[in-house]
Amino acid sequence: MRKLNKLNVYGLVVHCSATKPSMKVNAKIIKRWHTEERGWSDIGYHFVINRDGSLESGRSLQYQGAHVRGYNAQTIGVCLIGGLDENGKPDANYTLAQYETLKKLYGDLRLRFPIQEILGHRDLDKGKDCPCIDVRALFLSSF
Ligand SMILES: [Zn+2]
């Protein structure tokens, strides 16, 4: 894994696990998907926010993540658990607790990195729905 140069980090990129709310998923399970199924050396995200708002660490911030094509050297990746409805369609179904944790994480990271913005995966990769919400608008309206 490549080292993350703190000075280059300008953004926090929000993702979703693309799982139904009823599905039990956490950092450990996502790590298993990324390592055993995709063959990566570690989980791709730096953080995971569970449905109850609990924050889990993923990949060490010492290393670049593997979460957004072309921007891994300049961003930190966080994954919200959820993002699909019970029919498997994209759905902005995150909990208030998740949003509150995300807001706090963004504030904490801005003290440690020269982060200037929070944005969604889809803002950097137009072919994606992830994370099914307009992250920029959400933070501008400061929920
Ligand atoms: Zn994503």
Side-chain angles (χ1 to χ4, degrees):
M1 291 186 287
R2 292 189 186 170
K3 285 277 190 181
L4 181 65
N5 182 345
K6 278 190 169 191
L7 299 177
N8 292 339
V9 177
Y10 79 89
L12 175 62
V13 179
V14 180
H15 298 264
C16 69
S17 59
T19 52
K20 300 172 183 179
S22 60
M23 193 172 164
K24 181 86 182 106
V25 186
N26 56 28
K28 188 177 175 185
I29 290 170
I30 294 175
K31 180 170 181 170
R32 202 164 67 218
W33 292 342
H34 288 179
T35 56
E36 293 177 17
E37 295 175 24
R38 296 196 194 178
W40 298 353
S41 50
D42 197 1
I43 183 172
Y45 310 114
H46 295 102
F47 296 97
V48 172
I49 299 177
N50 294 309
R51 303 288 303 170
D52 65 359
S54 58
L55 178 69
E56 292 191 280
S57 291
R59 185 175 299 202
S60 165
L61 286 169
Q62 289 190 325
Y63 299 103
Q64 292 180 23
H67 57 96
V68 55
R69 190 186 304 272
Y71 296 91
N72 286 312
Q74 299 92 23
T75 59
I76 289 170
V78 56
C79 178
L80 303 178
I81 299 299
L84 293 186
D85 66 19
E86 291 299 331
N87 296 313
K89 295 276 191 309
D91 186 28
N93 54 16
Y94 308 108
T95 65
L96 186 58
Q98 283 179 298
Y99 286 130
E100 285 173 349
T101 299
L102 178 61
K103 191 174 180 181
K104 183 173 187 308
L105 176 67
Y106 182 52
D108 290 346
L109 290 173
R110 289 182 78 180
L111 299 176
R112 300 168 60 191
F113 297 86
I115 288 181
Q116 296 175 25
E117 66 173 336
I118 180 168
L119 63 176
H121 187 184
R122 67 183 192 178
D123 297 317
L124 296 173
D125 188 338
K126 299 303 179 193
K128 305 275 185 184
D129 283 324
C130 176
C132 306
I133 48 172
D134 187 341
V135 175
R136 284 172 165 148
L138 192 66
F139 270 77
L140 281 174
S141 65
S142 70
F143 56 84

